[in-house]
Amino acid sequence: MAQQATAGRRYLRAFVSGFFVSVPVTVTFLDRFAYVARVEGASMQPFLNPEGGSECDVVLLNRWSVRNYQVQRGDIVSVVSPRNPQQKIIKRVIGLEGDFIRTLGYKNRYVRIPDGHFWIEGDHHGHSLDSNSFGPVSVGLIHGRASHIIWPPNRWQRIKPSLPPNRGPLDTKEEEE
Amino acid sequence: MFHRVLWKTLGFMGYTIQYGCIAHCAFEYIGEFVVCSGPSMEPTIVNQDVVFSERMSRHLCKIKKGDIVIAKSLYDPNMNICKRVVGLEGDKICTSAPSGLFKTHTYVPKGHVWLEGDNPRNSTDSRNYGSIPYALIRGRVCLKLWPLQSFGTLGESPTKRIIKNQSDSNSD
């Protein structure tokens, strides 16, 4: 009887101490280093979710690389939606602060992105709720940078920053315009 | 001898990581201490006051009108601002000067809040740059800790900018 009691208490102590180690470490890791997210919707087709509803892509979000709010043009980032603070949206960065860009369906045809903001767009224009609807997004809303596609296994790849054609900032494309 | 030093070092590193993670969880989900600077919230909070801002209201989306919040600055995310919430999403805010003849109004968009400092003459806030997204809010200031003679919870807004019941003000 006494042996069962002490074994039970030892088990409880081991469980409680394990809990207090694993929960903060896991939460800190998910907040500071990396996060896994499922991509839903068609706004980034054909790059993410090319088949549509049947199997959604799962991406690895790198939170350490955005701790100083540094992103490049062409990165795919996860951002807290300005319209709904409980929802996160995954889009591509098209322009950074100070860039002069041409918009697709925004209230102004040309926009100069203010300080501390950036411009995000989904690859599937017309099916995407992005900066063309709500304007430049504050850099403080950035959540993470999608670095790899990790599911389904046949789409395992590293995501490289790439701008869609003709969507770059206007002041650096001197030879084309 | 070498093995003991190695195991001691690993044990020390393990404890450091564990306590560092507990500290991160405490500052991220419970609350943090903030030193305020600037005159924009006088007389409620003056320069060099230390306040405690709790994080749970922000994660549970329970920030209410009249709360003092710490938020990331709209133009520089590494800087924080401390202002009072004057309007939530859907509220009507009067943007004209109080002494002006024609009154202009604006509505706070969905997912945004309207912040104003308690010292309207000396504060850059939503009257200058518009409403800010709710997700930029970091925490709600609930307790003033320093200086000790003004220790305690913070009072209501000294300006008359907060309209408590929106349904009453629709009669004009």
Side-chain angles (χ1 to χ4, degrees):
Chain A
M1 262 303 262
Q3 275 182 343
Q4 271 185 346
T6 48
R9 279 177 62 175
R10 279 207 338 237
Y11 179 76
L12 186 66
R13 270 178 54 182
F15 179 78
V16 166
S17 65
F19 181 83
F20 277 108
V21 168
S22 57
V23 167
V25 169
T26 313
V27 167
T28 306
F29 183 79
L30 292 179
D31 275 351
R32 293 259 179 189
F33 294 104
Y35 201 80
V36 171
R38 211 165 66 117
V39 179
E40 286 173 5
S43 63
M44 285 297 289
Q45 281 179 348
F47 190 72
L48 294 177
N49 277 1
E51 289 102 45
S54 52
E55 259 204 50
C56 291
D57 285 352
V58 174
V59 294
L60 182 72
L61 294 175
N62 186 344
R63 306 204 60 186
W64 184 252
S65 61
V66 296
R67 69 193 185 281
N68 288 326
Y69 308 106
Q70 302 279 345
V71 283
Q72 300 175 19
R73 293 180 197 89
D75 271 344
I76 298 187
V77 291
S78 142
V79 160
V80 181
S81 167
R83 292 241 175 111
N84 183 358
Q86 290 166 323
Q87 189 192 31
K88 302 204 180 26
I89 55 179
I90 292 191
K91 303 280 180 258
R92 199 182 286 274
V93 175
I94 299 290
L96 302 174
E97 65 182 8
D99 285 352
F100 197 68
I101 59 162
R102 185 169 42 91
T103 69
L104 299 168
Y106 188 52
K107 55 184 178 178
N108 302 327
R109 186 97 192 274
Y110 294 96
V111 160
R112 187 197 167 269
I113 302 173
D115 285 346
H117 287 67
F118 62 141
W119 189 271
I120 55 174
E121 275 179 16
D123 287 348
H124 196 177
H125 304 301
H127 274 78
S128 162
L129 182 71
D130 52 25
S131 283
N132 289 313
S133 315
F134 40 71
V137 176
S138 175
V139 173
L141 292 178
I142 209 171
H143 186 249
R145 189 176 61 86
S147 58
H148 294 77
I149 299 179
I150 57 177
W151 186 268
N154 58 332
R155 285 180 40 79
W156 232 95
Q157 60 183 283
R158 186 155 175 259
I159 299 179
K160 295 188 187 35
S162 77
L163 274 176
N166 289 334
R167 295 304 301 145
L170 293 173
D171 35 12
T172 59
K173 284 170 51 180
E174 304 118 16
E175 61 271 17
E176 287 196 29
E177 297 285 5
Chain B
M1 174 62 196
F2 178 69
H3 277 231
R4 271 186 47 200
V5 170
L6 184 67
W7 281 117
K8 270 197 178 318
T9 314
L10 285 180
F12 179 72
M13 274 174 50
Y15 273 119
T16 310
I17 292 177
Q18 182 186 347
Y19 288 129
C21 294
I22 292 181
H24 166 89
C25 288
F27 288 133
E28 186 69 30
Y29 295 102
I30 301 178
E32 55 183 0
F33 300 100
V34 181
V35 179
C36 302
S37 66
S40 61
M41 282 297 289
E42 286 175 1
T44 317
I45 301 176
V46 301
N47 204 11
Q48 305 302 326
D49 275 359
V50 178
V51 298
F52 181 75
S53 87
E54 53 101 2
R55 298 281 211 149
M56 288 305 294
S57 308
R58 183 254 184 220
H59 287 296
L60 300 173
C61 289
K62 293 241 187 311
I63 302 273
K64 290 189 289 295
K65 226 182 335 194
D67 285 344
I68 304 181
V69 295
I70 309 276
K72 288 192 241 187
S73 164
L74 195 66
Y75 294 116
D76 182 3
N78 293 317
M79 289 195 31
N80 296 320
I81 59 177
C82 174
K83 301 280 182 261
R84 199 182 283 269
V85 174
V86 166
L88 298 169
E89 66 182 14
D91 286 348
K92 191 159 92 160
I93 305 283
C94 175
T95 52
S96 58
S99 55
L101 219 51
F102 297 104
K103 297 221 173 285
T104 53
H105 289 106
T106 180
Y107 287 92
V108 180
K110 191 164 179 298
H112 287 63
V113 293
W114 187 274
L115 302 181
E116 281 184 18
D118 282 351
N119 189 1
R121 275 184 251 280
N122 213 344
S123 161
T124 44
D125 46 36
S126 287
R127 291 168 304 161
N128 305 86
Y129 44 69
S131 48
I132 69 163
Y134 182 96
L136 286 180
I137 292 180
R138 284 176 62 126
R140 182 181 70 95
V141 174
C142 54
L143 212 55
K144 186 163 26 166
L145 299 171
W146 187 271
L148 287 174
Q149 50 267 34
S150 47
F151 181 94
T153 52
L154 297 132
E156 300 255 318
S157 169
T159 66
K160 300 277 183 298
R161 294 281 292 161
I162 299 178
I163 305 165
K164 276 296 178 189
N165 296 317
Q166 280 288 307
S167 51
D168 291 347
S169 68
N170 279 340
S171 55
D172 59 331

